[in-house]
Amino acid sequence: MTPELRTERLEFLPYRPEHEDVFVELLRDEEVCRWMGQDLVPEPQIREVFRAILTDIYPEGRFDVWGLWLAGRYVGHAEVKPTGNVEGHELVTALAPGYWGRGLGGEVIRGLLRHAAENLGLTEAYGMVGAENTASLAMCRRVGFRHLRDVVGDDGSVTKLLIIPTAAGWADGAERTAAEAGAQTPATGTGATDGPVPVGAPGAKDVVGVASGEGLAGAVRGEVVAGAASGEGLTGAAGTEGLAGAASAGEAG
């Protein structure tokens, strides 16, 4: 069962039926979609994704999905989900543009890493960042993410697959080999997605990772709202993958 989490300023709350409209508003925002590497999705499809969170993802315990709240206001979305790009879990965040540039992206990532270590027993986690999203990539390096390999989409777009140890991972000294870091792998989807944007760098977009270009919405077909199991993004998941191969949709701050 997805637990409630808290960081310095944010509450991570499992979605409830009354949150549907704010969720739809987030995923219908052009800037959020742009940095998640996805096209605007019809509203009915996004509503289907939201309902799948309540009726499939939560009841079946597929992965953890939250709405993000700041002083009682909905500001974004977060997930920790299995990823189809590697053996492991991906961090996904998407903040509404009005909350970019406040350092919230990094706060979300830190909260997700703590949850991954303490509650899920993970020693490392992954993120996806579009190669053109230089601000988020620089921020990820400062936070401790390391480049693992490039994921090349069918359209030639390049997404950076990043890895970071959780608190448990740092303790264990978890490392990947140089061979892994140099490999390139074709993506299963169309490509571009913007990944984890954890600590605060002005200009970075708080939208992390739609690993395959389908984003929060490509998911209305039985894969899990989260781009998850196959790196499709928040909506490539409407069925069982999760809302977002989007490890960090938004400001990266």
Side-chain angles (χ1 to χ4, degrees), residues 9-70:
R9 293 172 290 175
L10 296 169
E11 289 184 291
F12 295 53
L13 303 178
Y15 283 106
R16 300 195 300 267
E18 59 267 32
H19 299 155
E20 182 172 338
D21 287 344
V22 291
F23 176 87
V24 170
E25 182 179 358
L26 175 71
L27 297 192
R28 288 284 294 164
D29 186 280
E30 292 185 6
E31 283 295 294
V32 170
C33 290
R34 175 192 173 195
W35 289 106
M36 295 194 80
Q38 68 175 46
D39 295 327
L40 280 175
V41 174
E43 182 176 320
Q45 186 174 344
I46 296 175
R47 291 189 182 279
E48 185 178 347
V49 171
F50 181 82
R51 290 160 190 167
I53 294 174
L54 302 182
T55 60
D56 297 328
I57 295 174
Y58 285 155
E60 297 178 20
R62 294 178 182 275
F63 53 86
D64 293 323
V65 184
W66 300 269
L68 301 173
W69 299 81
L70 173 66

Side-chain angles (χ1 to χ4, degrees), residues 1-252:
M1 183 174 187
T2 296
E4 293 186 5
L5 305 177
R6 283 174 175 75
T7 58
E8 304 95 284
R9 293 172 290 175
L10 296 169
E11 289 184 291
F12 295 53
L13 303 178
Y15 283 106
R16 300 195 300 267
E18 59 267 32
H19 299 155
E20 182 172 338
D21 287 344
V22 291
F23 176 87
V24 170
E25 182 179 358
L26 175 71
L27 297 192
R28 288 284 294 164
D29 186 280
E30 292 185 6
E31 283 295 294
V32 170
C33 290
R34 175 192 173 195
W35 289 106
M36 295 194 80
Q38 68 175 46
D39 295 327
L40 280 175
V41 174
E43 182 176 320
Q45 186 174 344
I46 296 175
R47 291 189 182 279
E48 185 178 347
V49 171
F50 181 82
R51 290 160 190 167
I53 294 174
L54 302 182
T55 60
D56 297 328
I57 295 174
Y58 285 155
E60 297 178 20
R62 294 178 182 275
F63 53 86
D64 293 323
V65 184
W66 300 269
L68 301 173
W69 299 81
L70 173 66
R73 292 180 178 272
Y74 179 79
V75 299
H77 173 90
E79 304 174 10
V80 177
K81 64 179 181 57
T83 175
N85 294 288
V86 288
E87 290 288 329
H89 286 66
E90 185 174 350
L91 307 183
V92 175
T93 74
L95 289 180
Y99 296 91
W100 294 358
R102 302 188 187 186
L104 294 175
E107 188 171 324
V108 175
I109 295 298
R110 290 190 293 272
L112 294 179
L113 286 172
R114 185 170 64 245
H115 170 68
E118 297 178 357
N119 300 328
L120 302 180
L122 302 179
T123 58
E124 61 193 14
Y126 298 86
M128 304 292 293
V129 182
E132 75 287 354
N133 193 348
T134 55
S136 290
L137 287 169
M139 193 166 26
C140 288
R141 286 193 294 270
R142 289 196 296 274
V143 174
F145 276 93
R146 181 168 62 80
H147 178 252
L148 189 59
R149 64 172 176 265
D150 288 348
V151 178
V152 182
D154 295 341
D155 61 355
S157 59
V158 177
T159 300
K160 301 292 183 180
L161 175 61
L162 309 176
I163 185 172
I164 187 171
T166 65
W170 286 115
D172 293 342
E175 288 291 338
R176 291 287 182 181
T177 66
E180 286 179 306
Q184 286 195 345
T185 306
T188 53
T190 54
T193 99
D194 295 84
V197 285
V199 196
K205 306 300 179 211
D206 259 327
V207 181
V208 178
V210 184
S212 65
E214 292 192 353
L216 304 187
V220 168
R221 4 159 241 240
E223 290 157 346
V224 193
V225 191
S230 61
E232 292 181 351
L234 298 190
T235 55
T240 47
E241 292 176 356
L243 239 256
S248 76
E251 126 198 346

